[in-house]
Amino acid sequence: MNFLAHARLAGRGSDVFLLGNLVADGIKGPVTAETGFAQGVRFHRRMDALIDQHDITLALRRQAPEAQRRVCGIALDIVWDHFLARLYHDDVLNQRVYGVLTRHAAMIPERQTRLFEHLRRDNWLKAYGDFDFTCRAIAGVGRRLSGPNRLAELTPWLEREYPLLEESFHTLWPWMQRAACEHAAALAGQ
């Protein structure tokens, strides 16, 4: 999952919990503090682990062209944001995310500051609703990885398999929402 999915799953939490979910990929190593921010990072990691190991995700990765299988999960994370933006646009949540990123800019890891500036300025959370934008975003991530841009090479497969991806999303998203609620309840009970 990418920014929008993590924001939706964490949206009922505090602003710093939401921020931890948004910036978790920029935080390296274990997070042991018991702050809302650290809980958000751990929540993000738990949600990623769940979706990465789901049978649907594993099957989609196996179906991807062999040369791109290693990076397919990255593309799928962004594709899930596309479906959320297209099918369940939530401008109130989007504005909350942008506000949290602005108010807590000092807590954003330095390596992510430019990324989040672009996200806010160009309204990515809404723009993900356009599949061409989503494919460009996927290719943009691929430019930041070493070697050939395997993510850009994957976009024709994503376009061809769009109906399968949408069908998969309709199964995965309710499952992820339930998993997030169960995990949040378990955290609250600790």
Side-chain angles (χ1 to χ4, degrees), residues 111-179:
R111 56 190 233 124
Q112 290 180 308
T113 55
R114 284 191 49 220
L115 170 72
F116 285 115
E117 286 169 8
H118 288 286
L119 181 120
R120 282 191 317 258
R121 185 186 65 229
D122 299 330
N123 197 10
W124 286 8
L125 300 181
K126 181 178 180 184
Y128 278 133
D130 174 49
F131 197 61
D132 289 336
F133 174 86
T134 302
C135 289
R136 287 191 309 275
I138 291 167
V141 172
R143 283 191 295 276
R144 295 194 307 268
L145 303 176
S146 62
N149 191 338
R150 299 290 185 207
L151 284 167
E153 294 170 4
L154 186 61
T155 57
W157 178 79
L158 297 170
E159 291 166 348
R160 188 172 57 250
E161 297 298 336
Y162 189 89
L164 172 63
L165 296 170
E166 184 169 7
E167 179 184 326
S168 299
F169 170 80
H170 284 295
T171 301
L172 281 170
W173 183 244
W175 181 82
M176 284 304 300
Q177 288 177 300
R178 285 189 303 276

Side-chain angles (χ1 to χ4, degrees), residues 3-157:
F3 304 119
L4 189 53
H6 282 291
R8 287 187 70 106
L9 293 176
R12 290 193 177 110
S14 70
D15 283 357
V16 292
F17 179 79
L18 175 58
L19 181 67
N21 274 272
L22 294 169
V23 303
D25 288 334
I27 307 292
K28 300 304 174 196
V31 179
T32 58
E34 288 307 319
T35 64
F37 180 83
Q39 289 173 341
V41 171
R42 288 192 301 272
F43 189 83
H44 171 114
R45 290 175 179 175
R46 177 70 178 142
M47 295 301 101
D48 275 357
L50 287 173
I51 199 162
D52 288 348
Q53 294 305 310
H54 193 283
D55 290 344
I56 289 174
T57 305
L58 297 172
L60 288 169
R61 291 177 68 180
R62 283 190 301 272
Q63 293 174 38
E66 189 172 346
Q68 291 86 35
R69 283 185 190 149
R70 186 177 63 80
V71 297
C72 183
I74 297 168
L76 291 174
D77 285 349
I78 300 170
V79 166
W80 306 144
D81 271 13
H82 160 70
F83 290 117
L84 281 171
R86 195 191 92 204
L87 300 169
Y88 304 109
H89 176 74
D90 184 346
D91 196 51
V92 171
L93 176 64
N94 294 355
Q95 294 309 312
R96 179 178 176 216
V97 167
Y98 299 144
V100 165
L101 292 171
T102 300
R103 286 188 304 278
H104 299 286
M107 295 175 69
I108 297 172
E110 186 177 332
R111 56 190 233 124
Q112 290 180 308
T113 55
R114 284 191 49 220
L115 170 72
F116 285 115
E117 286 169 8
H118 288 286
L119 181 120
R120 282 191 317 258
R121 185 186 65 229
D122 299 330
N123 197 10
W124 286 8
L125 300 181
K126 181 178 180 184
Y128 278 133
D130 174 49
F131 197 61
D132 289 336
F133 174 86
T134 302
C135 289
R136 287 191 309 275
I138 291 167
V141 172
R143 283 191 295 276
R144 295 194 307 268
L145 303 176
S146 62
N149 191 338
R150 299 290 185 207
L151 284 167
E153 294 170 4
L154 186 61
T155 57
W157 178 79

